[in-house]
Amino acid sequence: MDWSVSQIRTFAPDASALAAGEKISRSNWESSGQSGRALWGEIAGSGSRPYQVRVDLREFAFRCTCPSHKLPCKHVLGLLLRAGYDENSVPKEPEPDWIVEWLEQRDERAEKKKTKESTSAAPTPSSETKIDQQQKRSNQRLDRVTNGLEQYRLWLTDLIRSGLAGLETQTTSIWQEESRRLVDAQIPTLSTLVLTMQNIPGTGSDWPERLLGIMGRSALLYEAFQNRNELSSEFRQEVEQQLGWTVTQKELEATAVRVKDRWLLLGQSTQAGSNIETQFNWYWGCETKRFLLYLQFAIGRRGYSELLQPGSQINATAVFWPGTEQLRGRFIAKDEGNNSGSSQSPGRATCPEKAGQSIIDFLNDVSDSTARQPWRSLYPAFLRNAVVRLNVEKDRWELIDGSGFVLPLAGKDYWQLCALSASGAITLFGEWNELKLRPLSVWRNGYFVTALTETQQGDQR
Amino acid sequence: MDASLIKRALLGTDKMSRHSSELPIEHPIPILSELFRVIQEGDREETWQLLLKAGISSLAERVGYIPRQVNPSTDVEFAKPDKRPPMPSHFSEVLIKLLTIAVHCKPVSGHVISWLLEQVASTGCRFPDGDLPAYFQIFSKLSEYRTGQPLVLSLFGESGQWLARQKQEWNWLNIQTIPTEWSKEKLTELWTDGIFVERCQALEKLRSHNPNLARDLLLESWKSEKVEQREAFLQLFSIGLSDADLPFLESALTDRGQGVRRVAVRHLLHLPQSELTKEMTRQAERILAGNVLPPDAFDTSKNSNRSAIGQSGFILTPPTEWNTEMKKNGLIEKPDDGFARSDWFLFQIVSRIPVTHWEIFFARKPEEIVTMFEKDDSFSALFCAFSNALHEFGGSLDWLHALLNAAIKARKGCSPVPILEAEAHLIRYAASNAPLCLKNLFLNSASCLKQKNIIETVLHVLIQSEPLPWNEQFCIELFPYLINVRSGPEIITQYMPLFPFALRRQIFQAIGQSNYSIRITGVSKEKLREQIVLCNDFDRTLETILNFRKNV
């Protein structure tokens, strides 16, 4: 097993599951074992029969017979931690029948999915009817969005007419009502944006400028949508995606360009909504030198469908959402011969040679990117030859590159990064947002050393 | 963004109209031409135009962002290169956990921390850079390891020292590197601008090589210091204490802070020439020999015939009335639990006189002096006072034996039972001066002491006096007592790294037995087990590193 204890801890859905997992790792397991492709164990629970815990090491999938809704549950975490603390405590043994059966079922399902995908690509008479129905639904949505946007424009105009100064003392209902209305109008992205706006009034002396900037950019989005027929098809697609139009998996796989590469997960961040949490996974194509943003969503108390570890790599073919930027993507085919889940364990993940760029080159890229897609709020920053220092006069943390250019960091406590760059430069990956950089992971001496802890990330938010 | 734009948005366009209908955009971002082309066309109302302009300004700022630039060769500082390798991250992770446990158990486990650090230092490794903040947090709670500790300094390495200079709260690490010959400017700067910890450390160092300068420095700011700080600074006068400090210490007797006065009294009692010592000696002699001595016998300058004293019976005559003189001398009126009022005064006064004084005064051996008063009703208080004085001022081993024998006799019901705290003082003194004597006494008398709970105190003392690393025989002797006393499991947890590997297995098995687990009160079985796993991990990793380095 390639994962270290600290990496396994990051798999935990919450602190209590981790604490319980740590306890269980030291409990008496009725049986446990591992093979090259799986890890398993049996542990007594509250039921009459012991819980069967299994982990597929090839693609990091897991299953436990306990009734917990947490993913992974404390038993899976306990088993992983047990193996992580002491490899010998989970002996190498032939796979028992229930493991062989489970792995075979997984392989069968994967095979079936592949076959289904290849057969469904061919058009049939019934699919033509489906296309008609889709067109009808699409038209209905267009009407809703057009009306919703018009009302949003009136709402924005009213706010500016009466002045933003009064917002500091307003209740949150003004934002929440508008946000709900935008959900009804099927414009979820603007709905989220409005919820973001509600947190700005009164925070820092520059809040009017920040709020006005966001409102202004959304006004530009309205204008772009109104004039969408005059825009190029790529630009129009970007505008539509900004307003929440989705691209179906089928459309994506049928039309998008495929890019095969060794993809390195540079960093990970999350953004919490009211009932949904979005995970931003920033991949880097080691050969193609391009970013891929893979989004995962966790609804309610369920975890993410995949557990992805920063620093891990995968050989795979990716497809990208259409538009001027082509940043968001997903993997459609993983190279089976070369992957074992996270093919390279994070602690040993080397930084791709000559990866990263200077601050000036990065800012030039941000300018170009903004020109192509003006509504982006996050830019991946992969910066090399940099150090992190505290600017005592301004009381803020800064990243300084070899040419002496400085980027301010978002957040309050970066002593760990400062320590890591005490005697030499580091390569750092982070998110550039609203003129501040949020570090997510760091390489030092060619090795992936650390990602910021959840607490630190939480502090910054 | 244009300030007028923000002002209009804040006040509202209804109140602050611009009377202009054109879109005042000067095409700041040529590459955004596609978007601009579509929004330039058509008439728009003023408010909407303001919003569009704000959106474009915001984009322009993003596109045209020019970062600040510094000179990397002069403005960016690095730590000096460190030749020693960082310890493996897994090892560091275990060490941080062990140190964190030890920190929470201090001061009992001070030995464990020293031992752990010595073991780590023997590998020739330093703390990994990325873990330095975690180590700073741990050591910030361990003030005793921060001053003059080359071991700690070497483990933090060059990166640690550099990092400490960046954060004032951590700069204690560099204080010890200040040369012994300090310039007046440097001192004044440190004394004026340093944080409390730094100032304490500076004063402590200065007291050790130039106590007069240290006193003068403190005098400059004495009146403006907070009461807690005055007390802490004055505590440091135990280093390099001399008659030259007398005037300052005597002036501190009238300080507003009770704690300050108490510390001043304590220091003055260590100076035989102080008025306080002389006065206390007079009073103590009156208590111990007041009923047999002629009035002029209290004048210690006269060479009286001491051998004549004691021919008749001695009765302790403690003062019974509280007076202002006592208050001025720093005595406390309200007795502690277990003391009668007059015994309380006796205890306080006699505690202040070194026991060696009585050997000269009575011209008798310690054993005889203790026996002289054994039958007195106030013997218990006198015993406590002698024990305290022995602990505070020192004395010969004869005094230790005399008092320990008295304690054992008392425990066996031969005389009034002394107060537990006094025994603890006595035992601590024994630990630092004659641990072997205490160990034998303990092992022989454990069955007697056990019933009185003093066994725990003895255990703590024995543990702290045993040289490191503990040998297996010592642990085996200790273990049966540990599992039988109330705080045994806590002591086992705190000292786990010092138990030999084989014994840890025994402990592990003992924990598995239900009858043992019932005894565990403050410590969970899980916590003990976790500690054992961690310690085993530490041992194995340490061995691997040492073997690796040996082979290299």
Side-chain angles (χ1 to χ4, degrees):
Chain A
M1 196 181 74
D2 276 344
W3 297 298
S4 72
V5 171
S6 53
Q7 288 149 19
I8 293 164
R9 285 187 188 130
T10 63
F11 299 158
D14 55 45
S16 66
L18 178 61
E22 293 270 10
K23 249 185 189 179
I24 284 173
S25 73
R26 294 184 292 271
S27 301
N28 291 326
W29 286 71
E30 291 187 7
S31 71
S32 63
Q34 61 175 313
S35 64
R37 54 179 193 161
L39 189 68
W40 63 90
E42 287 179 295
I43 187 164
S46 49
S48 57
R49 299 181 62 186
Y51 297 136
Q52 290 183 322
V53 190
R54 56 209 102 179
V55 180
D56 185 343
L57 296 172
R58 299 168 303 174
E59 283 193 279
F60 192 59
F62 47 81
R63 199 184 150 201
C64 178
T65 51
C66 77
S68 171
H69 63 270
K70 290 186 182 177
L71 290 173
C73 68
K74 60 184 179 181
H75 305 104
V76 172
L77 286 169
L79 182 63
L80 284 165
L81 284 168
R82 190 179 175 83
Y85 279 125
D86 183 4
E87 189 86 8
N88 299 328
S89 64
V90 184
K92 289 208 164 118
E93 280 181 1
E95 291 165 356
D97 291 345
W98 54 280
I99 286 293
V100 175
E101 200 179 314
W102 178 61
L103 291 174
E104 279 174 3
Q105 279 172 0
R106 282 186 52 75
D107 291 344
E108 271 174 32
R109 273 201 299 273
E111 196 57 42
K112 268 184 194 167
K113 196 180 167 192
K114 260 188 187 174
T115 321
K116 196 179 167 189
E117 280 169 0
S118 58
T119 50
S120 62
T124 58
S126 64
S127 66
E128 279 168 19
T129 325
K130 272 186 189 170
I131 289 168
D132 287 343
Q133 285 169 348
Q134 276 171 3
Q135 186 61 45
K136 198 177 166 190
R137 279 201 298 272
S138 174
N139 290 339
Q140 279 172 350
R141 179 171 191 181
L142 185 63
D143 289 343
R144 276 202 201 105
V145 171
T146 310
N147 292 334
L149 274 176
E150 199 50 47
Q151 286 193 32
Y152 176 70
R153 193 185 81 88
L154 290 172
W155 179 77
L156 266 187
T157 314
D158 281 349
L159 278 182
I160 299 294
R161 277 207 185 109
S162 51
L164 300 179
L167 292 176
E168 266 186 295
T169 51
Q170 284 266 14
T171 59
T172 53
S173 60
I174 178 176
W175 309 98
Q176 283 168 1
E177 276 169 25
E178 181 60 15
S179 171
R180 275 195 292 272
R181 209 185 49 70
L182 285 163
V183 170
D184 293 342
Q186 289 187 292
I187 320 175
T189 46
L190 272 187
S191 163
T192 311
L193 190 73
V194 169
L195 289 179
T196 313
M197 289 181 200
Q198 80 170 354
N199 297 323
I200 296 178
T203 56
S205 57
D206 63 339
W207 74 262
E209 186 175 355
R210 279 186 285 130
L211 182 61
L212 193 58
I214 294 179
M215 286 176 163
R217 290 201 296 274
S218 69
L220 289 175
L221 184 60
Y222 168 89
E223 287 286 334
F225 181 75
Q226 294 301 325
N227 298 288
R228 62 190 178 282
N229 293 333
E230 295 170 47
L231 299 171
S232 67
S233 67
E234 288 86 5
F235 204 106
R236 194 173 63 239
Q237 279 169 321
E238 286 289 357
V239 170
E240 285 171 355
Q241 281 169 45
Q242 281 301 310
L243 290 169
W245 258 274
T246 50
V247 181
T248 63
Q249 304 294 345
K250 265 187 201 168
E251 284 170 346
L252 196 62
E253 285 169 27
T255 58
V257 180
R258 291 163 188 242
V259 181
K260 193 175 176 184
D261 206 336
R262 183 162 55 91
W263 299 96
L264 167 66
L265 182 51
L266 291 176
Q268 202 173 57
S269 67
T270 52
Q271 211 170 62
S274 53
N275 193 35
I276 188 167
E277 190 177 87
T278 311
Q279 186 183 61
F280 292 71
N281 292 287
W282 296 99
Y283 280 93
W284 169 256
C286 296
E287 304 298 327
T288 52
K289 311 265 185 269
R290 65 181 291 174
F291 287 105
L292 180 150
L293 172 62
Y294 174 57
L295 298 182
Q296 280 205 102
F297 304 94
I299 298 160
R301 296 175 70 186
R302 304 292 293 185
Y304 296 107
S305 58
E306 288 177 83
L307 287 172
L308 304 168
Q309 179 68 28
S312 61
Q313 297 184 27
I314 185 167
N315 287 305
T317 303
V319 285
F320 289 85
W321 265 244
T324 51
E325 275 289 89
Q326 300 212 345
L327 181 70
R328 188 178 167 192
R330 65 182 284 265
F331 302 114
I332 53 163
K334 293 173 187 173
D335 187 346
E336 298 294 340
N338 238 332
N339 283 324
S340 58
S342 53
S343 62
Q344 194 171 359
S345 89
R348 281 165 258 154
T350 50
C351 187
E353 244 179 80
K354 292 182 185 171
Q357 54 187 165
S358 67
I359 286 177
I360 280 296
D361 288 345
F362 162 68
L363 289 174
N364 284 337
D365 285 357
V366 169
S367 294
D368 292 348
S369 178
T370 307
R372 285 194 298 270
Q373 211 281 49
W375 300 283
R376 270 180 68 184
S377 56
L378 281 182
Y379 298 87
F382 196 10
L383 302 164
R384 67 163 179 252
N385 194 20
V387 294
V388 171
R389 296 288 183 264
L390 177 65
N391 184 330
V392 182
E393 281 172 24
K394 295 188 176 175
D395 191 26
R396 72 176 188 197
W397 285 94
E398 294 178 338
L399 182 94
I400 308 168
D401 74 359
S403 309
F405 285 106
V406 179
L407 289 184
L409 299 185
K412 288 177 182 171
D413 187 353
Y414 288 110
W415 286 108
Q416 195 188 14
L417 294 187
C418 183
L420 281 167
S421 58
S423 57
I426 51 175
T427 298
L428 180 143
F429 175 77
E431 288 173 337
W432 177 248
N433 176 19
E434 295 294 327
L435 309 182
K436 279 192 177 170
L437 181 70
R438 183 149 66 91
L440 295 179
S441 51
V442 175
W443 274 258
R444 169 140 183 229
N445 297 333
Y447 281 82
F448 185 80
V449 177
T450 183
L452 289 181
T453 61
E454 270 180 37
T455 329
Q456 282 170 308
Q457 287 189 13
D459 289 347
Q460 291 159 51
R461 293 197 178 98
Chain B
M1 199 180 288
D2 184 7
S4 66
L5 205 65
I6 301 169
K7 195 175 172 185
R8 284 174 63 215
L10 269 172
L11 292 176
T13 46
D14 280 352
K15 294 171 196 151
M16 199 173 172
S17 176
R18 199 169 177 273
H19 304 296
S20 168
S21 59
E22 85 281 11
L23 193 64
I25 299 164
E26 291 155 6
H27 229 301
I29 324 164
I31 44 179
L32 281 172
S33 53
E34 188 169 3
L35 181 62
F36 283 105
R37 182 172 51 77
V38 295
I39 62 173
Q40 286 282 11
E41 294 159 5
D43 289 336
R44 290 169 185 83
E45 60 170 315
E46 186 195 345
T47 308
W48 192 245
Q49 280 204 52
L50 183 145
L51 272 167
L52 292 178
K53 188 171 182 186
I56 287 165
S57 290
S58 152
L59 286 177
E61 270 172 29
R62 190 179 284 184
V63 170
Y65 180 78
I66 298 169
R68 192 166 68 86
Q69 192 174 18
V70 296
N71 185 339
S73 53
T74 55
D75 298 338
V76 182
E77 200 194 329
F78 284 98
K80 287 180 197 162
D82 207 323
K83 284 179 187 169
R84 284 164 315 143
M87 65 179 75
S89 57
H90 166 69
F91 187 47
S92 180
E93 198 180 318
V94 173
L95 180 65
I96 287 171
K97 276 189 186 170
L98 286 176
L99 286 173
T100 308
I101 293 169
V103 166
H104 288 135
C105 299
K106 73 170 190 170
V108 191
S109 54
H111 271 38
V112 179
I113 296 170
S114 302
W115 184 83
L116 282 172
L117 296 178
E118 277 163 22
Q119 296 300 298
V120 173
S122 70
T123 64
C125 296
R126 60 184 166 87
F127 296 148
D129 287 354
D131 290 342
L132 284 172
Y135 285 107
F136 272 115
Q137 276 184 354
I138 289 170
F139 280 88
S140 294
K141 291 172 191 152
L142 294 169
S143 55
E144 62 272 32
Y145 290 89
R146 297 199 308 229
T147 47
Q149 290 269 8
L151 178 69
V152 175
L153 194 67
S154 71
L155 286 171
F156 271 94
E158 293 292 345
S159 295
Q161 289 172 50
W162 175 84
L163 201 62
R165 284 196 291 277
Q166 316 303 312
K167 188 165 177 165
Q168 207 182 26
E169 288 91 327
W170 295 344
N171 204 27
W172 49 262
L173 187 70
N174 291 316
I175 299 245
Q176 58 203 334
T177 58
I178 293 172
T180 46
E181 288 303 318
W182 293 350
S183 68
K184 179 79 182 166
E185 292 76 26
K186 174 79 191 165
L187 260 178
T188 313
E189 184 192 324
L190 188 67
W191 193 249
T192 317
D193 303 332
I195 58 169
F196 176 59
V197 175
E198 289 173 334
R199 298 174 75 208
C200 278
Q201 286 171 345
L203 191 69
E204 189 178 355
K205 274 193 140 341
L206 202 55
R207 279 297 295 182
S208 61
H209 70 268
N210 194 344
N212 293 339
L213 180 61
R215 189 185 57 248
D216 293 344
L217 190 70
L218 180 61
L219 267 170
E220 281 176 22
S221 61
W222 180 252
K223 285 183 180 168
S224 58
E225 303 287 358
K226 288 179 190 166
V227 66
E228 306 84 36
Q229 295 188 347
R230 287 205 302 276
E231 187 181 336
F233 292 145
L234 200 61
Q235 293 270 17
L236 299 171
F237 273 56
S238 59
I239 305 163
L241 187 69
S242 72
D243 287 346
D245 296 318
L246 268 174
F248 173 58
L249 291 171
E250 277 169 353
S251 71
L253 286 176
T254 54
D255 194 278
R256 281 178 318 212
Q258 194 187 2
V260 178
R261 293 200 299 271
R262 200 167 44 235
V263 176
V265 164
R266 195 173 168 194
H267 289 329
L268 282 169
L269 291 170
H270 278 269
L271 295 170
Q273 293 307 312
S274 72
E275 283 303 318
L276 184 69
T277 307
K278 287 175 187 169
E279 171 60 22
M280 285 294 111
T281 308
R282 271 194 294 275
Q283 289 188 23
E285 286 173 349
R286 199 175 290 136
I287 293 168
L288 266 73
N291 64 325
V292 291
L293 284 179
D296 68 338
F298 294 119
D299 186 353
T300 47
S301 61
K302 288 188 177 178
N303 192 14
S304 309
N305 181 5
R306 301 293 178 199
S307 61
I309 302 171
Q311 296 297 317
S312 54
F314 281 87
I315 301 165
L316 293 166
T317 50
T320 49
E321 294 303 317
W322 174 254
N323 57 48
T324 49
E325 196 64 19
M326 286 173 157
K327 190 178 179 184
K328 193 184 151 196
N329 290 333
L331 299 180
I332 297 164
E333 185 182 3
K334 195 176 171 230
D336 273 5
D337 287 347
F339 280 102
R341 189 177 165 82
S342 60
D343 284 356
W344 172 242
F345 296 146
L346 177 154
F347 165 73
Q348 290 186 81
I349 293 167
V350 179
S351 289
R352 293 174 163 201
I353 309 302
V355 284
T356 48
H357 173 79
W358 303 115
E359 288 177 67
I360 302 162
F361 183 79
F362 289 116
R364 291 188 178 194
K365 289 177 183 171
E367 188 84 41
E368 292 171 320
I369 297 168
V370 173
T371 315
M372 263 176 7
F373 297 101
E374 217 170 46
K375 303 291 178 195
D376 196 285
D377 288 346
S378 297
F379 174 69
S380 178
L382 184 71
F383 174 88
C384 296
F386 279 160
S387 301
N388 266 14
L390 182 64
H391 185 242
E392 179 70 23
F393 302 102
S396 69
L397 284 182
D398 290 343
W399 273 101
L400 178 67
H401 282 291
L403 291 168
L404 279 175
N405 283 336
I408 297 291
K409 268 158 80 180
R411 291 282 172 225
K412 288 178 179 167
C414 303
S415 55
V417 175
I419 289 168
L420 197 67
E421 197 184 333
E423 281 184 338
H425 278 313
L426 196 63
I427 286 159
R428 274 190 207 107
Y429 181 75
S432 50
N433 292 281
L436 194 65
C437 152
L438 182 68
K439 193 171 166 182
N440 291 335
L441 185 83
F442 170 67
L443 295 175
N444 293 333
S445 319
S447 57
C448 162
L449 296 168
K450 195 171 87 179
Q451 295 160 15
K452 308 295 177 189
N453 280 342
I454 197 172
I455 192 168
E456 286 178 38
T457 314
V458 180
L459 277 172
H460 279 140
V461 170
L462 279 179
I463 282 168
Q464 287 180 42
S465 60
E466 185 67 13
L468 297 175
W470 286 354
N471 64 51
E472 198 159 338
Q473 185 57 36
F474 174 76
C475 295
I476 289 168
E477 277 176 13
L478 203 66
F479 189 57
Y481 296 110
L482 286 176
I483 59 169
N484 276 308
V485 296
R486 186 172 39 88
S487 63
E490 283 169 35
I491 299 175
I492 294 173
T493 316
Q494 289 159 19
Y495 286 95
M496 188 61 71
L498 294 175
F499 283 101
F501 187 80
L503 201 66
R504 273 187 229 144
R505 283 180 60 188
Q506 274 187 37
I507 296 170
F508 195 74
Q509 283 160 2
I511 294 164
Q513 292 167 9
S514 56
N515 63 340
Y516 178 69
S517 64
I518 292 164
R519 292 178 203 277
I520 300 174
T521 50
V523 180
S524 70
K525 248 185 350 182
E526 282 299 328
K527 196 173 169 188
L528 267 172
R529 206 171 276 183
E530 190 179 327
Q531 177 84 333
I532 290 166
V533 172
L534 269 178
C535 290
N536 291 348
D537 208 358
F538 177 82
D539 279 359
R540 282 200 208 102
T541 320
L542 186 73
E543 201 181 338
T544 312
I545 298 171
L546 288 171
N547 282 339
F548 173 74
R549 293 186 69 80
K550 204 167 139 190
N551 294 332
V552 168

